[in-house]
């Protein structure tokens, strides 16, 4: 009984049209450059990959404006545990994204998220992979 979660998207660079499908993965965060704010991307609740055969998946689409950003991550980010067995949480991640400069270059942004997670975790042992990807439409 093996399965995997997935978030898959295709961005048309010229138009900003972003077509995506979520298969049981954490919802990405979208940064709106116009309002300088972040929120969780609306994702339909689709099943994980490999859990059952012939499961339909529903695609969605949005238009990214210039400067908008999509931030995806594995559950090792929001579920990172500190020494008191407290998770970092999705709420804390969104609050951090709204409090940091999402206009910074992507390497700097990813390093800032990584540092905030590490600050929360402290000396606790890492229990899951931590993978992040940020994509900005310029």
């Amino acid at each position: 009984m093996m399965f995997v979660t997935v978030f898959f998207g295709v961005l048309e660079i010229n138009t900003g049209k972003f077509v995506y499908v979520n298969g049981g993965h954490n919802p990405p965060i979208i940064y709106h450059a116009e309002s300088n704010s972040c929120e969780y991307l609306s994702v339909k609740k689709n099943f994980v990959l490999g859990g059952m055969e012939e499961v339909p998946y529903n695609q969605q689409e949005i238009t990214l404006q210039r400067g908008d950003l999509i931030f995806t991550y594995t559950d090792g980010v929001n579920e990172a545990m500190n020494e008191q067995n407290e998770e970092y949480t999705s709420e804390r991640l969104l609050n951090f994204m709204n409090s940091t400069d999402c206009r910074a270059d992507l390497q700097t942004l990813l390093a800032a998220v990584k540092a905030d997670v590490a600050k929360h975790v402290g000396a606790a042992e890492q229990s899951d992979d931590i993978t992040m990807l940020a994509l900005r439409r310029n």
Side-chain angles (χ1 to χ4, degrees):
M1 184 78 181
M2 299 291 289
F3 69 90
V4 65
T5 65
V6 64
F7 179 84
F8 179 81
V10 176
L11 174 63
E12 291 181 13
I13 296 171
N14 293 336
T15 65
K17 179 180 172 183
F18 184 64
V19 179
Y20 62 95
V21 176
N22 188 46
H25 201 68
N26 295 320
I29 292 175
I30 181 169
Y31 166 74
H32 302 282
E34 185 176 337
S35 62
N36 192 30
S37 65
C38 295
E39 64 181 346
Y40 280 102
L41 184 65
S42 171
V43 294
K44 293 182 179 174
K45 295 190 188 268
N46 291 312
F47 201 60
V48 297
L49 294 181
M52 294 186 338
E53 291 183 31
E54 299 184 32
V55 174
Y57 292 88
N58 299 303
Q59 75 178 28
Q60 295 171 264
E61 81 176 53
I62 59 170
T63 300
L64 296 178
Q65 304 302 316
R66 298 209 179 273
D68 286 357
L69 177 138
I70 299 286
F71 173 79
T72 61
Y73 54 95
T74 58
D75 63 2
V77 173
N78 58 307
E79 294 177 1
M81 301 285 261
N82 65 14
E83 295 171 279
Q84 292 75 39
N85 289 327
E86 300 165 327
E87 289 187 350
Y88 182 79
T89 75
S90 298
E91 180 181 2
R92 181 174 177 155
L93 176 59
L94 182 60
N95 288 340
F96 179 78
M97 292 294 288
N98 273 307
S99 69
T100 198
D101 183 8
C102 288
R103 295 168 294 188
D105 68 86
L106 298 182
Q107 258 187 322
T108 300
L109 177 63
L110 292 172
V113 175
K114 182 180 176 186
D116 195 59
V117 172
K119 179 180 165 187
H120 169 77
V121 169
E125 189 173 319
Q126 185 174 332
S127 61
D128 201 353
D129 71 292
I130 293 178
T131 305
M132 300 177 286
L133 173 90
L135 168 81
R136 177 179 289 123
R137 179 174 181 228
N138 288 324

